[in-house]
Amino acid sequence: GGGPRQDTSNEDDNFESETSKATETKSAGDVKLTFVEAAKGCQKEVEYTITRFKKGGKQTLASRKQVQIPAGIKSGEILRVDDEGDPFFVHVDVEEHEVFLRQ
């Protein structure tokens, strides 16, 4: 996936550099899977946000990461993803299949 891109809706010009001290949090939303993707496992691109809190304000960046979805994952499970040593969590939503049922 690509590197972080800046969300200009929360842009703050008080951020000096990547090496300056700041507190950082990462969050992601849902990933939707087909029944077959959940059963067999797959790679999915997941969008997440990085929010940096620093004296003077906050900065929000959006990023994407390819994530390996394990075979047999169920709807409602939460997947922990490591990104450069900082984890974020993804909620899994599996679509129902018109023929097969999970038991």
Side-chain angles (χ1 to χ4, degrees), residues 41-96:
C42 63
Q43 287 260 334
K44 278 288 196 183
E45 187 172 72
V46 175
E47 287 190 24
Y48 64 98
T49 58
I50 303 167
T51 303
R52 292 190 177 125
F53 299 93
K54 187 177 166 185
K55 186 177 182 179
K58 73 178 184 177
Q59 179 184 40
T60 302
L61 305 171
S63 192
R64 298 171 188 248
K65 181 173 181 72
Q66 284 291 325
V67 174
Q68 180 63 44
I69 307 294
I73 199 160
K74 298 176 182 135
S75 196
E77 287 191 49
I78 296 177
L79 189 62
R80 181 177 192 247
V81 179
D82 285 317
D83 183 55
E84 299 175 10
D86 294 322
F88 63 90
F89 300 90
V90 178
H91 180 263
V92 176
D93 183 23
V94 180
E95 296 174 0
E96 291 185 18

Short mmCIF file of all heavy atoms in Angstrom, two decimals, residues 41-96:
data_model
loop_
_atom_site.label_atom_id
_atom_site.label_comp_id
_atom_site.label_asym_id
_atom_site.label_seq_id
_atom_site.Cartn_x
_atom_site.Cartn_y
_atom_site.Cartn_z
N GLY A 41 -9.38 -17.35 3.39
CA GLY A 41 -8.34 -16.37 3.73
C GLY A 41 -7.98 -15.59 2.49
O GLY A 41 -8.18 -16.05 1.36
N CYS A 42 -7.47 -14.39 2.67
CA CYS A 42 -7.14 -13.55 1.52
C CYS A 42 -6.30 -12.36 1.98
O CYS A 42 -6.04 -12.18 3.16
CB CYS A 42 -8.41 -13.05 0.84
SG CYS A 42 -9.43 -12.00 1.90
N GLN A 43 -5.89 -11.56 1.03
CA GLN A 43 -5.23 -10.27 1.29
C GLN A 43 -6.27 -9.19 1.02
O GLN A 43 -6.97 -9.24 0.02
CB GLN A 43 -4.05 -10.06 0.35
CG GLN A 43 -2.86 -10.90 0.65
CD GLN A 43 -1.80 -10.13 1.41
OE1 GLN A 43 -1.71 -8.92 1.31
NE2 GLN A 43 -1.03 -10.82 2.20
N LYS A 44 -6.35 -8.22 1.92
CA LYS A 44 -7.26 -7.09 1.72
C LYS A 44 -6.53 -5.80 2.06
O LYS A 44 -5.71 -5.76 2.97
CB LYS A 44 -8.47 -7.19 2.67
CG LYS A 44 -9.57 -8.08 2.21
CD LYS A 44 -10.29 -7.44 1.06
CE LYS A 44 -11.62 -8.12 0.83
NZ LYS A 44 -12.34 -7.61 -0.29
N GLU A 45 -6.84 -4.75 1.33
CA GLU A 45 -6.30 -3.43 1.65
C GLU A 45 -7.23 -2.78 2.68
O GLU A 45 -8.44 -2.72 2.49
CB GLU A 45 -6.21 -2.57 0.40
CG GLU A 45 -5.50 -1.26 0.66
CD GLU A 45 -5.23 -0.49 -0.61
OE1 GLU A 45 -6.19 0.04 -1.18
OE2 GLU A 45 -4.06 -0.45 -1.01
N VAL A 46 -6.65 -2.34 3.79
CA VAL A 46 -7.41 -1.74 4.88
C VAL A 46 -7.00 -0.29 5.02
O VAL A 46 -5.81 0.03 5.02
CB VAL A 46 -7.13 -2.50 6.21
CG1 VAL A 46 -7.79 -1.82 7.37
CG2 VAL A 46 -7.57 -3.94 6.09
N GLU A 47 -7.98 0.59 5.12
CA GLU A 47 -7.71 2.00 5.37
C GLU A 47 -7.70 2.25 6.87
O GLU A 47 -8.49 1.66 7.61
CB GLU A 47 -8.78 2.88 4.73
CG GLU A 47 -8.68 2.94 3.23
CD GLU A 47 -9.58 4.00 2.63
OE1 GLU A 47 -9.93 4.96 3.33
OE2 GLU A 47 -9.92 3.84 1.45
N TYR A 48 -6.76 3.10 7.32
CA TYR A 48 -6.73 3.47 8.72
C TYR A 48 -6.26 4.91 8.85
O TYR A 48 -5.73 5.47 7.90
CB TYR A 48 -5.86 2.51 9.55
CG TYR A 48 -4.40 2.52 9.20
CD1 TYR A 48 -3.49 3.27 9.95
CD2 TYR A 48 -3.90 1.77 8.14
CE1 TYR A 48 -2.14 3.27 9.64
CE2 TYR A 48 -2.55 1.77 7.83
CZ TYR A 48 -1.68 2.51 8.59
OH TYR A 48 -0.34 2.51 8.28
N THR A 49 -6.50 5.50 10.01
CA THR A 49 -6.06 6.87 10.25
C THR A 49 -5.03 6.89 11.35
O THR A 49 -5.05 6.07 12.27
CB THR A 49 -7.23 7.79 10.64
OG1 THR A 49 -7.86 7.27 11.80
CG2 THR A 49 -8.24 7.91 9.52
N ILE A 50 -4.12 7.82 11.24
CA ILE A 50 -3.10 8.08 12.26
C ILE A 50 -3.38 9.48 12.77
O ILE A 50 -3.43 10.44 12.00
CB ILE A 50 -1.68 8.03 11.66
CG1 ILE A 50 -1.42 6.69 10.98
CG2 ILE A 50 -0.65 8.33 12.74
CD1 ILE A 50 -0.18 6.69 10.10
N THR A 51 -3.59 9.60 14.07
CA THR A 51 -3.81 10.91 14.67
C THR A 51 -2.64 11.21 15.58
O THR A 51 -2.34 10.44 16.49
CB THR A 51 -5.13 10.96 15.47
OG1 THR A 51 -6.20 10.59 14.60
CG2 THR A 51 -5.39 12.36 16.01
N ARG A 52 -1.94 12.30 15.32
CA ARG A 52 -0.80 12.73 16.13
C ARG A 52 -1.24 13.91 16.98
O ARG A 52 -1.71 14.92 16.46
CB ARG A 52 0.36 13.12 15.25
CG ARG A 52 0.95 11.95 14.52
CD ARG A 52 2.24 12.34 13.83
NE ARG A 52 2.80 11.15 13.21
CZ ARG A 52 3.13 11.06 11.94
NH1 ARG A 52 2.99 12.10 11.16
NH2 ARG A 52 3.63 9.95 11.48
N PHE A 53 -1.07 13.75 18.29
CA PHE A 53 -1.40 14.83 19.23
C PHE A 53 -0.10 15.45 19.68
O PHE A 53 0.83 14.77 20.07
CB PHE A 53 -2.16 14.27 20.44
CG PHE A 53 -3.45 13.62 20.06
CD1 PHE A 53 -3.52 12.26 19.81
CD2 PHE A 53 -4.60 14.38 19.95
CE1 PHE A 53 -4.72 11.66 19.46
CE2 PHE A 53 -5.80 13.79 19.59
CZ PHE A 53 -5.85 12.42 19.35
N LYS A 54 -0.05 16.76 19.63
CA LYS A 54 1.17 17.48 19.98
C LYS A 54 0.76 18.82 20.54
O LYS A 54 -0.33 19.31 20.26
CB LYS A 54 2.01 17.66 18.73
CG LYS A 54 3.35 18.24 18.96
CD LYS A 54 4.11 18.27 17.64
CE LYS A 54 5.31 19.15 17.79
NZ LYS A 54 6.02 19.33 16.57
N LYS A 55 1.63 19.40 21.33
CA LYS A 55 1.35 20.72 21.86
C LYS A 55 0.97 21.63 20.70
O LYS A 55 1.69 21.75 19.72
CB LYS A 55 2.58 21.26 22.59
CG LYS A 55 2.34 22.56 23.30
CD LYS A 55 3.57 23.00 24.06
CE LYS A 55 3.28 24.28 24.79
NZ LYS A 55 4.45 24.73 25.56
N GLY A 56 -0.17 22.25 20.81
CA GLY A 56 -0.62 23.14 19.74
C GLY A 56 -1.67 22.55 18.83
O GLY A 56 -2.19 23.22 17.96
N GLY A 57 -1.99 21.25 18.99
CA GLY A 57 -3.05 20.71 18.14
C GLY A 57 -2.88 19.26 17.79
O GLY A 57 -2.15 18.52 18.44
N LYS A 58 -3.58 18.86 16.74
CA LYS A 58 -3.49 17.49 16.27
C LYS A 58 -3.42 17.47 14.75
O LYS A 58 -3.81 18.42 14.09
CB LYS A 58 -4.65 16.64 16.77
CG LYS A 58 -5.97 16.92 16.12
CD LYS A 58 -7.03 15.97 16.66
CE LYS A 58 -8.34 16.20 15.91
NZ LYS A 58 -9.36 15.26 16.35
N GLN A 59 -2.89 16.37 14.25
CA GLN A 59 -2.74 16.18 12.82
C GLN A 59 -3.27 14.80 12.49
O GLN A 59 -2.95 13.83 13.18
CB GLN A 59 -1.25 16.27 12.45
CG GLN A 59 -0.95 16.05 10.99
CD GLN A 59 0.55 16.07 10.73
OE1 GLN A 59 1.31 15.53 11.52
NE2 GLN A 59 0.97 16.68 9.66
N THR A 60 -4.11 14.69 11.48
CA THR A 60 -4.69 13.41 11.09
C THR A 60 -4.21 13.04 9.70
O THR A 60 -4.31 13.83 8.77
CB THR A 60 -6.23 13.48 11.11
OG1 THR A 60 -6.64 13.85 12.43
CG2 THR A 60 -6.84 12.15 10.76
N LEU A 61 -3.68 11.82 9.58
CA LEU A 61 -3.20 11.29 8.31
C LEU A 61 -4.01 10.04 7.99
O LEU A 61 -4.37 9.28 8.89
CB LEU A 61 -1.72 10.91 8.40
CG LEU A 61 -0.76 12.00 8.84
CD1 LEU A 61 0.62 11.41 9.08
CD2 LEU A 61 -0.68 13.09 7.80
N ALA A 62 -4.27 9.81 6.73
CA ALA A 62 -4.95 8.59 6.29
C ALA A 62 -3.93 7.72 5.56
O ALA A 62 -3.07 8.22 4.86
CB ALA A 62 -6.10 8.94 5.35
N SER A 63 -4.03 6.41 5.78
CA SER A 63 -3.10 5.49 5.15
C SER A 63 -3.81 4.19 4.80
O SER A 63 -4.95 3.97 5.21
CB SER A 63 -1.92 5.22 6.08
OG SER A 63 -0.89 4.56 5.38
N ARG A 64 -3.12 3.34 4.06
CA ARG A 64 -3.64 2.03 3.67
C ARG A 64 -2.56 0.99 3.89
O ARG A 64 -1.38 1.28 3.78
CB ARG A 64 -4.02 2.00 2.19
CG ARG A 64 -5.11 2.96 1.82
CD ARG A 64 -5.26 3.01 0.31
NE ARG A 64 -6.17 4.06 -0.07
CZ ARG A 64 -7.36 3.83 -0.61
NH1 ARG A 64 -7.75 2.62 -0.87
NH2 ARG A 64 -8.15 4.84 -0.90
N LYS A 65 -3.00 -0.24 4.19
CA LYS A 65 -2.05 -1.33 4.39
C LYS A 65 -2.68 -2.63 3.89
O LYS A 65 -3.85 -2.88 4.12
CB LYS A 65 -1.70 -1.45 5.87
CG LYS A 65 -0.71 -2.55 6.18
CD LYS A 65 -0.28 -2.50 7.63
CE LYS A 65 0.71 -3.58 7.95
NZ LYS A 65 2.02 -3.36 7.40
N GLN A 66 -1.86 -3.45 3.21
CA GLN A 66 -2.30 -4.79 2.82
C GLN A 66 -2.26 -5.67 4.06
O GLN A 66 -1.24 -5.73 4.75
CB GLN A 66 -1.38 -5.37 1.74
CG GLN A 66 -1.61 -4.80 0.36
CD GLN A 66 -2.94 -5.21 -0.23
OE1 GLN A 66 -3.44 -6.30 -0.02
NE2 GLN A 66 -3.55 -4.29 -0.98
N VAL A 67 -3.36 -6.35 4.34
CA VAL A 67 -3.48 -7.17 5.53
C VAL A 67 -3.81 -8.60 5.12
O VAL A 67 -4.66 -8.81 4.25
CB VAL A 67 -4.60 -6.61 6.44
CG1 VAL A 67 -4.86 -7.51 7.63
CG2 VAL A 67 -4.25 -5.21 6.91
N GLN A 68 -3.15 -9.57 5.74
CA GLN A 68 -3.45 -10.98 5.50
C GLN A 68 -4.62 -11.38 6.40
O GLN A 68 -4.53 -11.30 7.61
CB GLN A 68 -2.23 -11.87 5.81
CG GLN A 68 -2.49 -13.34 5.58
CD GLN A 68 -2.80 -13.69 4.14
OE1 GLN A 68 -2.15 -13.20 3.21
NE2 GLN A 68 -3.81 -14.51 3.93
N ILE A 69 -5.72 -11.78 5.78
CA ILE A 69 -6.90 -12.23 6.50
C ILE A 69 -6.78 -13.76 6.64
O ILE A 69 -6.68 -14.46 5.64
CB ILE A 69 -8.20 -11.88 5.75
CG1 ILE A 69 -8.26 -10.38 5.40
CG2 ILE A 69 -9.41 -12.35 6.53
CD1 ILE A 69 -8.34 -9.45 6.58
N PRO A 70 -6.80 -14.27 7.88
CA PRO A 70 -6.64 -15.72 8.06
C PRO A 70 -7.87 -16.50 7.62
O PRO A 70 -9.00 -16.02 7.75
CB PRO A 70 -6.41 -15.87 9.57
CG PRO A 70 -7.00 -14.66 10.18
CD PRO A 70 -6.89 -13.56 9.15
N ALA A 71 -7.66 -17.70 7.13
CA ALA A 71 -8.76 -18.58 6.73
C ALA A 71 -9.62 -18.91 7.94
O ALA A 71 -9.12 -19.10 9.04
CB ALA A 71 -8.21 -19.86 6.11
N GLY A 72 -10.94 -18.92 7.73
CA GLY A 72 -11.86 -19.31 8.78
C GLY A 72 -12.30 -18.18 9.70
O GLY A 72 -13.01 -18.41 10.67
N ILE A 73 -11.91 -16.95 9.39
CA ILE A 73 -12.31 -15.82 10.24
C ILE A 73 -13.82 -15.64 10.17
O ILE A 73 -14.44 -15.93 9.15
CB ILE A 73 -11.55 -14.53 9.85
CG1 ILE A 73 -11.61 -13.52 10.99
CG2 ILE A 73 -12.05 -13.98 8.54
CD1 ILE A 73 -10.54 -12.47 10.93
N LYS A 74 -14.41 -15.22 11.28
CA LYS A 74 -15.86 -15.08 11.37
C LYS A 74 -16.27 -13.62 11.46
O LYS A 74 -15.50 -12.79 11.94
CB LYS A 74 -16.37 -15.82 12.61
CG LYS A 74 -16.10 -17.30 12.57
CD LYS A 74 -16.53 -17.95 13.85
CE LYS A 74 -16.19 -19.42 13.79
NZ LYS A 74 -15.57 -19.93 14.98
N SER A 75 -17.49 -13.35 11.06
CA SER A 75 -18.04 -12.01 11.19
C SER A 75 -18.08 -11.62 12.66
O SER A 75 -18.42 -12.43 13.52
CB SER A 75 -19.45 -11.98 10.60
OG SER A 75 -19.87 -10.66 10.37
N GLY A 76 -17.70 -10.39 12.95
CA GLY A 76 -17.68 -9.90 14.32
C GLY A 76 -16.32 -10.03 15.00
O GLY A 76 -16.09 -9.42 16.04
N GLU A 77 -15.41 -10.82 14.42
CA GLU A 77 -14.08 -10.94 15.01
C GLU A 77 -13.30 -9.65 14.78
O GLU A 77 -13.57 -8.90 13.84
CB GLU A 77 -13.31 -12.13 14.40
CG GLU A 77 -13.84 -13.46 14.88
CD GLU A 77 -12.93 -14.61 14.49
OE1 GLU A 77 -11.71 -14.52 14.72
OE2 GLU A 77 -13.45 -15.60 13.97
N ILE A 78 -12.34 -9.42 15.65
CA ILE A 78 -11.49 -8.24 15.54
C ILE A 78 -10.07 -8.71 15.26
O ILE A 78 -9.53 -9.55 15.98
CB ILE A 78 -11.56 -7.39 16.82
CG1 ILE A 78 -12.99 -6.87 16.98
CG2 ILE A 78 -10.56 -6.24 16.75
CD1 ILE A 78 -13.25 -6.08 18.22
N LEU A 79 -9.50 -8.18 14.20
CA LEU A 79 -8.17 -8.56 13.75
C LEU A 79 -7.17 -7.52 14.20
O LEU A 79 -7.35 -6.32 13.95
CB LEU A 79 -8.19 -8.67 12.22
CG LEU A 79 -7.00 -9.26 11.51
CD1 LEU A 79 -6.79 -10.71 11.94
CD2 LEU A 79 -7.23 -9.21 10.01
N ARG A 80 -6.10 -7.94 14.88
CA ARG A 80 -5.03 -7.04 15.30
C ARG A 80 -4.00 -6.98 14.18
O ARG A 80 -3.50 -8.00 13.73
CB ARG A 80 -4.37 -7.54 16.58
CG ARG A 80 -3.28 -6.62 17.06
CD ARG A 80 -2.71 -7.15 18.38
NE ARG A 80 -1.87 -6.14 18.98
CZ ARG A 80 -0.56 -6.26 19.12
NH1 ARG A 80 0.06 -7.35 18.72
NH2 ARG A 80 0.14 -5.29 19.66
N VAL A 81 -3.67 -5.78 13.75
CA VAL A 81 -2.71 -5.57 12.66
C VAL A 81 -1.55 -4.74 13.20
O VAL A 81 -1.76 -3.68 13.79
CB VAL A 81 -3.38 -4.80 11.48
CG1 VAL A 81 -2.39 -4.56 10.37
CG2 VAL A 81 -4.60 -5.57 10.98
N ASP A 82 -0.34 -5.25 13.02
CA ASP A 82 0.85 -4.49 13.42
C ASP A 82 1.31 -3.62 12.27
O ASP A 82 1.40 -4.07 11.14
CB ASP A 82 1.98 -5.43 13.84
CG ASP A 82 1.74 -6.04 15.20
OD1 ASP A 82 1.32 -5.31 16.11
OD2 ASP A 82 1.97 -7.25 15.36
N ASP A 83 1.59 -2.37 12.57
CA ASP A 83 2.08 -1.43 11.57
C ASP A 83 3.23 -0.66 12.17
O ASP A 83 3.03 0.20 13.04
CB ASP A 83 0.96 -0.48 11.13
CG ASP A 83 1.42 0.45 10.03
OD1 ASP A 83 1.90 -0.06 9.00
OD2 ASP A 83 1.31 1.67 10.20
N GLU A 84 4.43 -0.97 11.75
CA GLU A 84 5.64 -0.30 12.23
C GLU A 84 5.70 -0.29 13.76
O GLU A 84 6.02 0.71 14.38
CB GLU A 84 5.71 1.12 11.67
CG GLU A 84 5.78 1.16 10.16
CD GLU A 84 5.73 2.57 9.61
OE1 GLU A 84 5.84 3.54 10.37
OE2 GLU A 84 5.60 2.69 8.38
N GLY A 85 5.35 -1.43 14.37
CA GLY A 85 5.42 -1.57 15.82
C GLY A 85 4.21 -1.05 16.57
O GLY A 85 4.10 -1.26 17.76
N ASP A 86 3.31 -0.38 15.89
CA ASP A 86 2.09 0.14 16.53
C ASP A 86 0.89 -0.61 15.98
O ASP A 86 0.62 -0.57 14.78
CB ASP A 86 1.91 1.64 16.25
CG ASP A 86 2.99 2.48 16.88
OD1 ASP A 86 3.39 2.15 18.01
OD2 ASP A 86 3.41 3.47 16.26
N PRO A 87 0.14 -1.30 16.84
CA PRO A 87 -1.01 -2.05 16.34
C PRO A 87 -2.24 -1.17 16.12
O PRO A 87 -2.37 -0.11 16.72
CB PRO A 87 -1.29 -3.05 17.47
CG PRO A 87 -0.84 -2.34 18.69
CD PRO A 87 0.35 -1.50 18.28
N PHE A 88 -3.10 -1.62 15.23
CA PHE A 88 -4.45 -1.08 15.12
C PHE A 88 -5.37 -2.26 14.92
O PHE A 88 -4.93 -3.37 14.64
CB PHE A 88 -4.59 -0.01 14.03
CG PHE A 88 -4.33 -0.47 12.63
CD1 PHE A 88 -5.36 -0.96 11.83
CD2 PHE A 88 -3.07 -0.38 12.08
CE1 PHE A 88 -5.13 -1.37 10.52
CE2 PHE A 88 -2.83 -0.78 10.77
CZ PHE A 88 -3.86 -1.27 10.00
N PHE A 89 -6.66 -2.05 15.12
CA PHE A 89 -7.61 -3.15 15.12
C PHE A 89 -8.66 -2.95 14.04
O PHE A 89 -9.13 -1.84 13.83
CB PHE A 89 -8.27 -3.26 16.50
CG PHE A 89 -7.26 -3.52 17.58
CD1 PHE A 89 -6.64 -2.48 18.25
CD2 PHE A 89 -6.90 -4.82 17.89
CE1 PHE A 89 -5.68 -2.72 19.21
CE2 PHE A 89 -5.95 -5.08 18.87
CZ PHE A 89 -5.34 -4.02 19.53
N VAL A 90 -9.01 -4.06 13.38
CA VAL A 90 -9.96 -4.03 12.27
C VAL A 90 -11.12 -4.97 12.61
O VAL A 90 -10.91 -6.14 12.96
CB VAL A 90 -9.28 -4.50 10.96
CG1 VAL A 90 -10.27 -4.52 9.81
CG2 VAL A 90 -8.09 -3.62 10.64
N HIS A 91 -12.34 -4.46 12.52
CA HIS A 91 -13.54 -5.26 12.74
C HIS A 91 -13.90 -5.97 11.44
O HIS A 91 -13.95 -5.35 10.38
CB HIS A 91 -14.69 -4.35 13.18
CG HIS A 91 -15.96 -5.08 13.43
ND1 HIS A 91 -16.94 -5.18 12.49
CD2 HIS A 91 -16.39 -5.77 14.51
CE1 HIS A 91 -17.94 -5.89 12.98
NE2 HIS A 91 -17.63 -6.25 14.21
N VAL A 92 -14.13 -7.29 11.50
CA VAL A 92 -14.41 -8.10 10.31
C VAL A 92 -15.92 -8.27 10.14
O VAL A 92 -16.63 -8.61 11.08
CB VAL A 92 -13.73 -9.48 10.43
CG1 VAL A 92 -14.09 -10.36 9.25
CG2 VAL A 92 -12.22 -9.31 10.54
N ASP A 93 -16.39 -8.05 8.92
CA ASP A 93 -17.80 -8.22 8.57
C ASP A 93 -17.86 -9.16 7.37
O ASP A 93 -17.38 -8.81 6.29
CB ASP A 93 -18.42 -6.86 8.24
CG ASP A 93 -19.91 -6.95 7.92
OD1 ASP A 93 -20.56 -7.92 8.35
OD2 ASP A 93 -20.41 -6.04 7.25
N VAL A 94 -18.42 -10.36 7.56
CA VAL A 94 -18.49 -11.36 6.50
C VAL A 94 -19.91 -11.38 5.94
O VAL A 94 -20.88 -11.54 6.69
CB VAL A 94 -18.10 -12.77 7.01
CG1 VAL A 94 -18.19 -13.80 5.88
CG2 VAL A 94 -16.71 -12.75 7.61
N GLU A 95 -20.02 -11.24 4.62
CA GLU A 95 -21.32 -11.29 3.96
C GLU A 95 -21.87 -12.71 3.99
O GLU A 95 -21.10 -13.68 3.90
CB GLU A 95 -21.18 -10.87 2.49
CG GLU A 95 -20.75 -9.44 2.30
CD GLU A 95 -20.48 -9.11 0.83
OE1 GLU A 95 -20.63 -10.00 -0.04
OE2 GLU A 95 -20.10 -7.96 0.57
N GLU A 96 -23.17 -12.84 4.14
CA GLU A 96 -23.79 -14.16 4.10
C GLU A 96 -23.76 -14.69 2.68
O GLU A 96 -23.80 -13.93 1.72
CB GLU A 96 -25.23 -14.08 4.59
CG GLU A 96 -25.33 -13.80 6.08
CD GLU A 96 -26.77 -13.84 6.57
OE1 GLU A 96 -27.64 -14.42 5.87
OE2 GLU A 96 -27.02 -13.32 7.65
#
